[in-house]
Amino acid sequence: MAKLEYDDDGRLLFTEEMRKEYTILVPQMAPFHFEYLVDAMNTEGLRAELLRSDDYELIHEGMKYSHNDICVPAMLVIGQFIDAIKKRKHDMHKVALIITQTGGGCRASNYIKLLRKALKKAHLDFVPVISLNANGLEKNPGFKITPRLLHKLHDAILFGDTIMTLMHQTRPYEINEGDTDRLKEKIDENLKGYFNHNSLFTWKRSKQKIRWMIEEFNNIETTDVKKPKVGVVGEIYVKYSPLGNNRLEQTLEKEGVEVVVPPLYDFFLYSFDSRAHDIKRYGGPLKERLVLKALVWYIEVRRQKIRNMLKKGGFEAPVPYKKLKSLTKGFIDVGTHTGEGWLLTAEMIDLIEHGAPNIVCTQPFGCLPNHIVGKGMIKKLKNRYPESNIVAIDYDTSASQVNQINRINLMVSNAFRNFEGGR
Ligand code: SF4
């Protein structure tokens, strides 16, 4: 068994030895993307496993080992981890956990500390926790983000975003029920082994894959029926995670609408760009700022090619990051970086301007920043865009699901009324 080593502050480290023996548990935060992220990690000498549990036991563990005042995403992630470790009775001494650490002004930067506190309380403090961050906040000898791993993670997010966009624009219109889901399975099968390579530049390969995916989606038989579009925005976890938002996407599609969820990559670009913005405004290493700017530029160059492919294939493509940022003029300052900051407001404006004035703004209960940049913006948006039909839904482990669904249904019935009335 690997020896436990600690840093000077008493933090348990993920060591080189653990890298060979331990399984890294990854919480499910965004189903379209995390499968591929885990596949990418597994080809770089790591042994990662995606957690798929979503039962009551998990929520119970989260509530038991974290304070009931903490943010819902933290409670659910902590619950999912502890539940998974306890279920691995025979090898619980051979698992590590990985969690993102944003380094921003919000409580998300402290989720890692809350997780360690919960592990201690559950007598599991022999489990190392790895911080996934872009700011060098915590380092571990057994976990390094190499340029090749970074490139693979980048491809994984591009695939996730593209497949999500294609599925949302196809499934509500399919003639043969289940065609879209079956194609997703076929794509997942095809992508197995994709990340198993040693090259750093994979643009040609990933472009071929994406072109093939678009062609495959184009082969699905669809109707010409038009449906109202409903956008989903909000705090990053409850926006993408079916566990966090009580399967919102499924609920909406059952109501007969087309769901529009903005790409996950915009959140990463927003995070890099926000750090660069802060360095410029408040000072910091110039080199870091230039690297971040270059990163945003590089990612956008690659995303633009995908946007072009989507449009050529007859699909709607998400707007470029720069355009998204410019939409905030007159609404919110781009220096607003706490939580989802200006990005959330910009996504709502973009949805309204692109035919999806019906929006569900998802927020964890008691999430202060998103109540300002999300719910707090609804009135202002209504003044500028009278056709907007936005509902803010609070997500909490003790919130009434019936209440959530009733409010969503009311928004959907308004969406149908406005749509049929031709607004
Ligand atoms: S954005 Fe909201 S949910 Fe996320 S850490 Fe901040 S307060 Fe908590």
Side-chain angles (χ1 to χ4, degrees):
M1 198 185 299
K3 199 171 131 236
L4 300 188
E5 290 176 25
Y6 298 83
D7 73 359
D8 295 344
D9 297 324
R11 174 173 64 88
L12 178 60
L13 296 169
F14 182 73
T15 61
E16 287 279 6
E17 211 185 339
M18 288 171 176
R19 182 186 173 94
K20 290 176 206 132
E21 296 175 11
Y22 277 42
T23 302
I24 301 174
L25 305 183
V26 181
Q28 175 58 288
M29 295 171 91
F32 283 107
H33 307 79
F34 272 51
E35 295 274 351
Y36 308 130
L37 288 171
V38 166
D39 282 353
M41 286 167 72
N42 283 337
T43 59
E44 287 298 306
L46 297 161
R47 215 181 316 161
E49 185 184 311
L50 186 64
L51 300 177
R52 292 186 175 82
S53 51
D54 62 354
D55 48 29
Y56 182 75
E57 271 173 65
L58 167 172
I59 298 170
H60 178 73
E61 296 290 4
M63 287 162 83
K64 189 169 163 193
Y65 293 108
S66 53
H67 194 277
N68 59 4
D69 243 7
I70 74 160
C71 310
V72 178
M75 188 187 285
L76 292 176
V77 170
I78 289 172
Q80 195 171 42
F81 276 142
I82 293 187
D83 177 58
I85 301 168
K86 283 187 176 174
K87 283 182 179 149
R88 303 173 81 105
K89 287 195 179 70
H90 305 296
D91 65 350
M92 57 164 69
H93 283 269
K94 284 199 172 178
V95 292
L97 313 177
I98 190 161
I99 188 167
T100 49
Q101 206 178 358
T102 58
C106 214
R107 289 185 274 183
S109 288
N110 293 317
Y111 282 5
I112 197 160
K113 302 237 165 30
L114 296 171
L115 174 58
R116 289 199 179 105
K117 201 171 159 195
L119 288 172
K120 196 169 178 192
K121 206 167 152 192
H123 307 291
L124 298 169
D125 47 357
F126 49 83
V127 177
V129 183
I130 303 165
S131 158
L132 186 64
N133 68 79
N135 318 322
L137 287 172
E138 280 187 7
K139 293 192 174 124
N140 286 285
F143 186 85
K144 291 193 182 81
I145 301 201
T146 60
R148 201 173 58 204
L149 175 59
L150 203 59
H151 238 96
K152 289 183 180 182
L153 298 178
H154 161 74
D155 271 352
I157 301 170
L158 287 182
F159 286 161
D161 276 344
T162 309
I163 294 168
M164 180 175 75
T165 302
L166 289 166
M167 285 190 79
H168 284 157
Q169 290 181 31
T170 309
R171 192 163 45 204
Y173 306 101
E174 66 187 13
I175 289 176
N176 304 311
E177 202 184 326
D179 271 1
T180 312
D181 291 338
R182 279 188 287 277
L183 176 55
K184 168 78 166 61
E185 282 168 24
K186 182 177 167 185
I187 290 172
D188 287 350
E189 197 54 40
N190 183 285
L191 287 181
K192 270 191 190 138
Y194 172 84
F195 296 103
N196 214 352
H197 61 77
N198 293 324
S199 9
L200 188 54
F201 294 102
T202 52
W203 179 222
K204 208 171 155 198
R205 281 183 75 222
S206 66
K207 210 162 93 175
Q208 276 168 355
K209 282 286 174 209
I210 288 173
R211 187 172 295 126
W212 169 75
M213 286 175 206
I214 295 172
E215 278 166 16
E216 287 287 318
F217 271 94
N218 259 326
N219 288 337
I220 292 183
E221 269 190 284
T222 50
T223 64
D224 290 335
V225 173
K226 298 268 178 274
K227 297 187 174 193
K229 292 181 184 178
V230 175
V232 176
V233 297
E235 186 275 337
I236 193 81
Y237 183 83
V238 291
K239 176 172 155 191
Y240 292 107
S241 162
L243 174 64
N245 63 29
N246 291 333
R247 295 172 188 78
L248 175 62
E249 190 185 304
Q250 230 176 310
T251 307
L252 288 169
E253 281 193 359
K254 265 195 208 144
E255 291 302 318
V257 301
E258 179 187 326
V259 180
V260 187
V261 185
L264 178 63
Y265 229 143
D266 283 335
F267 180 76
F268 288 103
L269 293 182
Y270 154 80
S271 307
F272 301 149
D273 191 30
S274 299
R275 172 75 187 133
H277 177 276
D278 284 350
I279 294 175
K280 187 176 177 202
R281 192 169 275 192
Y282 308 114
L286 178 65
K287 195 172 151 204
E288 187 186 341
R289 182 171 158 249
L290 295 178
V291 168
L292 288 165
K293 284 274 174 203
L295 200 60
V296 173
W297 173 83
Y298 173 72
I299 294 167
E300 271 302 89
V301 168
R302 290 196 61 183
R303 289 179 82 208
Q304 186 53 44
K305 308 240 181 222
I306 298 173
R307 285 192 282 265
N308 294 344
M309 283 195 269
L310 283 168
K311 282 188 206 156
K312 213 170 149 200
F315 293 92
E316 275 182 42
V319 296
Y321 176 76
K322 209 169 154 190
K323 166 84 182 140
L324 195 61
K325 195 173 170 183
S326 72
L327 295 176
T328 53
K329 276 197 193 104
F331 284 93
I332 189 166
D333 190 86
V334 289
T336 315
H337 295 151
T338 308
E340 277 55 38
W342 62 259
L343 179 69
L344 205 167
T345 313
E347 285 178 342
M348 290 199 281
I349 301 169
D350 175 44
L351 284 164
I352 299 168
E353 290 193 352
H354 288 94
N358 318 294
I359 297 171
V360 183
C361 181
T362 61
Q363 351 190 79
F365 181 75
C367 165
L368 187 64
N370 288 314
H371 272 74
I372 296 165
V373 298
K375 198 175 183 175
M377 283 290 156
I378 296 178
K379 197 171 164 206
K380 206 164 178 177
L381 288 168
K382 191 87 192 160
N383 288 341
R384 171 84 73 91
Y385 304 100
E387 73 276 26
S388 63
N389 170 30
I390 308 172
V391 63
I393 305 287
D394 283 334
Y395 287 93
D396 183 30
T397 46
S398 56
S400 151
Q401 204 176 343
V402 174
N403 191 293
Q404 289 168 352
I405 291 178
N406 283 345
R407 298 189 57 229
I408 291 167
N409 285 350
L410 187 64
M411 183 276 298
V412 170
S413 64
N414 285 337
F416 272 102
R417 210 181 37 238
N418 295 342
F419 187 69
E420 278 150 15
R423 277 180 74 172

